[in-house]
Amino acid sequence: MSGRPLDVLEASLDEDVTVHLKDGRAFHGVLGGYDQHMNVVIEPTDDVGDIDEGLLGDPDLKRIDNTTIIRGDNVMTITT
Amino acid sequence: MSGRPLDVLEASLDEDVTVHLKDGRAFHGVLGGYDQHMNVVIEPTDDVGDIDEGLLGDPDLKRIDNTTIIRGDNVMTITT
Amino acid sequence: MSGRPLDVLEASLDEDVTVHLKDGRAFHGVLGGYDQHMNVVIEPTDDVGDIDEGLLGDPDLKRIDNTTIIRGDNVMTITT
Amino acid sequence: MSGRPLDVLEASLDEDVTVHLKDGRAFHGVLGGYDQHMNVVIEPTDDVGDIDEGLLGDPDLKRIDNTTIIRGDNVMTITT
Amino acid sequence: MSGRPLDVLEASLDEDVTVHLKDGRAFHGVLGGYDQHMNVVIEPTDDVGDIDEGLLGDPDLKRIDNTTIIRGDNVMTITT
Amino acid sequence: MSGRPLDVLEASLDEDVTVHLKDGRAFHGVLGGYDQHMNVVIEPTDDVGDIDEGLLGDPDLKRIDNTTIIRGDNVMTITT
Amino acid sequence: MSGRPLDVLEASLDEDVTVHLKDGRAFHGVLGGYDQHMNVVIEPTDDVGDIDEGLLGDPDLKRIDNTTIIRGDNVMTITT
């Protein structure tokens, strides 16, 4: 999947994503929404099998249990 | 609940939210207002039962006792 | 008191507020003015009885003795 | 003295002010100018008697000896 | 290859790049997209031979395994 | 010399200035140019006698040997 | 060479420059491009003789081996 960053986010709506924050934490869930600042809405996922391998066992990775808004300026990467 | 980040905030007005700040602190209360910078107004909640489980016993979690404006650039996540 | 963040500040003019800064310090005084960046003007208060309980004995809390402009980007929370 | 932050600065022109920076330093002098970013111009003062009491003996307080422009994003507070 | 920064990014689309972040990490992959904030999309590369020599053995260098959006404010350098 | 910050910079063109950066370093030279972000151009000075006394012996003070552009967001103060 | 900061960059195109970053690193190469954010493009230089003397032996100085875009907010100084 290619394109400009916001195009990739648009194409990832309702898909599982992993959001890594600048402070080392990571959130895994479904991309429910985003805006031009890269503020994102992450929702719980039922999919337990597709977490990025490198994150397995990562104590800083958190599955989303409740709808969570992440303010964009905390984001380091969003992986689809 | 899905949608763009500010839509989720709009839908959460008068509902309990937990706001996690970049410095590790967290505030729990009712979302009284917000703006496009994600500045938020949090008010005291009477609901003592619905704090995010992961936060129980968290010494950094503070229940709001007075109307509190949080400047948006401190916000890491807002959980509904 | 509810509403958008700047509405709450408008309603708090001439009232006592506590401003917590990102570096841990806190200022208590009367809200004399504000702008859209959350720059605020805090003035001395005669009211010695209403400091937020959690701040009593807080060595980082300072009562305002002179009119003080706080640049908004230092602000973490403003409590009414 | 009350009003919006820039109104207070306007009213303080040619008056002594103390500017506290985010890094703990403080400058005392005459407010020679300012702009909307809270960049300020501080000039030497002849008034040796009116430094904020809490700053007496403060090793981080510096009297201005030459006209000094302080870039606004360093400012924590300006006290009149 | 010369030109303004965004021109160089445009010319590097579908080419291998190494993105160094401010926190010391580096990502190697194909530049799939970018925008004016230097938010970039990096995709997995099949090319295993062209990593910048200075990075060989760098424990902070990560090959991209999944399409990854990097928020521009984390970027230090992008090397073509 | 008084006035708004950029007016003071305008009046200081071709004069010696000392620029203190946020990280503690200081540069001494002739102000060759500036813009509204307080990006400045500092050029070598032939005047060896007028460095701010407080800076004498300061290991962090550097005389400019080549034309140097300083990005404005590094600037703490500019002293004329 | 004098003038506003971007004028100095314009005049330095295709010339050797040294870019010092906020984190202490420095890059030496040919200025291939720039924009109004002081994002710069640095290209390899063949000129091995003109590195700023103060940088000789500096372990943090890196000669550019590949075209490198430096995001402007990392820049402390650019020396011509």
Side-chain angles (χ1 to χ4, degrees):
Chain A
M1 182 170 49
S2 193
R4 294 170 72 87
L6 296 186
D7 296 340
V8 174
L9 285 178
E10 182 69 23
S12 302
L13 282 172
D14 301 321
E15 304 285 338
D16 275 39
V17 297
T18 302
V19 182
H20 285 82
L21 303 191
K22 291 173 181 170
D23 74 351
R25 264 176 284 199
F27 293 87
H28 186 79
V30 173
L31 183 64
Y34 69 93
D35 63 23
Q36 80 275 18
H37 303 295
M38 250 187 239
N39 299 321
V40 291
V41 178
I42 307 293
E43 299 174 282
T45 176
D46 293 332
D47 189 342
V48 299
D50 68 344
I51 285 192
D52 176 337
E53 241 181 50
L55 294 172
L56 282 179
D58 181 344
D60 285 329
L61 179 67
K62 182 183 174 187
R63 273 167 196 281
I64 295 288
D65 295 317
N66 296 84
T67 299
T68 299
I69 301 167
I70 302 175
R71 198 174 191 265
D73 64 333
N74 299 282
V75 172
M76 190 174 71
T77 58
I78 301 174
T79 309
T80 65
Chain B
M1 182 171 47
S2 193
R4 294 169 72 87
L6 296 186
D7 296 340
V8 174
L9 285 178
E10 181 70 22
S12 302
L13 282 173
D14 301 322
E15 304 284 339
D16 275 38
V17 297
T18 302
V19 182
H20 284 82
L21 304 191
K22 292 173 181 169
D23 74 351
R25 263 175 286 199
F27 293 87
H28 185 80
V30 173
L31 182 64
Y34 69 92
D35 64 22
Q36 80 275 18
H37 303 295
M38 250 188 238
N39 299 321
V40 291
V41 179
I42 308 293
E43 298 173 282
T45 176
D46 292 332
D47 189 342
V48 298
D50 68 342
I51 285 192
D52 175 338
E53 242 182 49
L55 294 172
L56 283 179
D58 181 344
D60 285 329
L61 178 67
K62 183 184 174 186
R63 274 169 195 280
I64 294 289
D65 296 318
N66 295 85
T67 299
T68 299
I69 301 167
I70 302 175
R71 198 174 191 264
D73 64 333
N74 299 282
V75 172
M76 190 174 71
T77 58
I78 301 175
T79 308
T80 65
Chain C
M1 181 171 47
S2 193
R4 293 169 73 87
L6 296 186
D7 296 340
V8 174
L9 285 178
E10 181 69 23
S12 302
L13 281 172
D14 301 323
E15 305 285 338
D16 274 39
V17 297
T18 303
V19 182
H20 284 82
L21 303 192
K22 291 173 180 167
D23 74 351
R25 263 175 285 200
F27 293 87
H28 186 79
V30 173
L31 182 64
Y34 69 93
D35 63 22
Q36 79 276 17
H37 303 295
M38 250 188 239
N39 298 322
V40 292
V41 178
I42 308 292
E43 299 173 282
T45 176
D46 293 332
D47 189 342
V48 298
D50 68 343
I51 285 192
D52 175 338
E53 242 182 50
L55 294 172
L56 283 179
D58 181 344
D60 285 328
L61 179 67
K62 183 183 174 186
R63 275 169 194 281
I64 295 289
D65 295 318
N66 295 84
T67 298
T68 299
I69 300 167
I70 302 174
R71 198 174 191 264
D73 64 333
N74 298 282
V75 172
M76 190 174 71
T77 58
I78 302 175
T79 308
T80 65
Chain D
M1 181 171 48
S2 194
R4 293 170 73 87
L6 295 187
D7 296 340
V8 174
L9 285 177
E10 181 69 25
S12 303
L13 281 172
D14 301 323
E15 304 284 338
D16 275 39
V17 297
T18 303
V19 182
H20 284 82
L21 303 192
K22 291 173 181 170
D23 73 351
R25 262 175 286 199
F27 293 88
H28 186 79
V30 173
L31 182 64
Y34 69 93
D35 63 23
Q36 79 276 17
H37 303 295
M38 251 187 237
N39 299 320
V40 291
V41 178
I42 308 292
E43 298 173 282
T45 176
D46 292 333
D47 188 343
V48 298
D50 67 344
I51 285 191
D52 175 337
E53 241 181 51
L55 294 172
L56 283 179
D58 181 344
D60 285 328
L61 180 68
K62 184 185 175 186
R63 274 168 195 282
I64 295 289
D65 295 318
N66 295 84
T67 299
T68 299
I69 301 168
I70 303 175
R71 198 173 190 265
D73 65 333
N74 298 283
V75 172
M76 190 173 71
T77 58
I78 302 175
T79 307
T80 65
Chain E
M1 181 171 47
S2 194
R4 295 170 72 87
L6 296 187
D7 296 340
V8 174
L9 285 178
E10 181 69 23
S12 302
L13 282 173
D14 301 322
E15 303 286 336
D16 275 39
V17 297
T18 303
V19 182
H20 284 83
L21 303 191
K22 291 173 181 169
D23 75 350
R25 263 175 285 199
F27 293 87
H28 186 79
V30 174
L31 183 64
Y34 69 93
D35 63 24
Q36 80 275 18
H37 303 295
M38 250 186 237
N39 298 321
V40 291
V41 178
I42 307 293
E43 299 173 281
T45 177
D46 293 333
D47 189 342
V48 298
D50 67 345
I51 284 192
D52 176 337
E53 241 182 50
L55 294 172
L56 282 179
D58 181 344
D60 285 329
L61 179 66
K62 182 183 174 187
R63 273 167 196 282
I64 295 288
D65 295 317
N66 295 85
T67 299
T68 298
I69 301 168
I70 302 175
R71 198 174 191 264
D73 64 333
N74 299 283
V75 172
M76 190 173 72
T77 57
I78 301 174
T79 308
T80 64
Chain F
M1 181 170 48
S2 194
R4 294 170 71 87
L6 296 187
D7 295 340
V8 174
L9 285 178
E10 181 69 24
S12 302
L13 281 173
D14 301 322
E15 303 285 337
D16 275 40
V17 297
T18 303
V19 182
H20 285 82
L21 303 192
K22 291 173 180 170
D23 74 350
R25 262 175 286 199
F27 293 87
H28 185 80
V30 173
L31 182 64
Y34 69 94
D35 63 22
Q36 79 276 17
H37 303 295
M38 249 186 238
N39 299 321
V40 291
V41 178
I42 308 292
E43 298 173 283
T45 176
D46 293 333
D47 188 343
V48 298
D50 67 345
I51 285 191
D52 176 338
E53 242 182 50
L55 294 172
L56 283 179
D58 181 345
D60 285 328
L61 180 68
K62 183 185 176 185
R63 272 167 196 282
I64 295 289
D65 295 317
N66 295 84
T67 298
T68 299
I69 301 168
I70 302 175
R71 198 173 191 264
D73 65 332
N74 298 283
V75 172
M76 190 174 71
T77 58
I78 302 175
T79 307
T80 65
Chain G
M1 182 172 46
S2 193
R4 295 170 70 88
L6 295 187
D7 296 340
V8 174
L9 285 178
E10 181 69 23
S12 302
L13 281 173
D14 301 322
E15 303 285 337
D16 275 40
V17 297
T18 303
V19 182
H20 284 82
L21 303 192
K22 292 172 181 170
D23 74 351
R25 262 175 286 199
F27 293 87
H28 186 80
V30 173
L31 182 64
Y34 68 94
D35 63 24
Q36 79 275 18
H37 304 294
M38 249 185 237
N39 298 321
V40 291
V41 178
I42 308 292
E43 298 173 282
T45 176
D46 293 333
D47 188 342
V48 299
D50 67 346
I51 284 192
D52 176 337
E53 242 182 50
L55 294 172
L56 282 180
D58 180 345
D60 285 329
L61 179 67
K62 183 183 175 186
R63 273 167 196 282
I64 295 288
D65 295 317
N66 294 85
T67 298
T68 299
I69 301 168
I70 302 175
R71 198 174 190 263
D73 64 333
N74 298 283
V75 171
M76 190 174 71
T77 58
I78 302 175
T79 307
T80 65

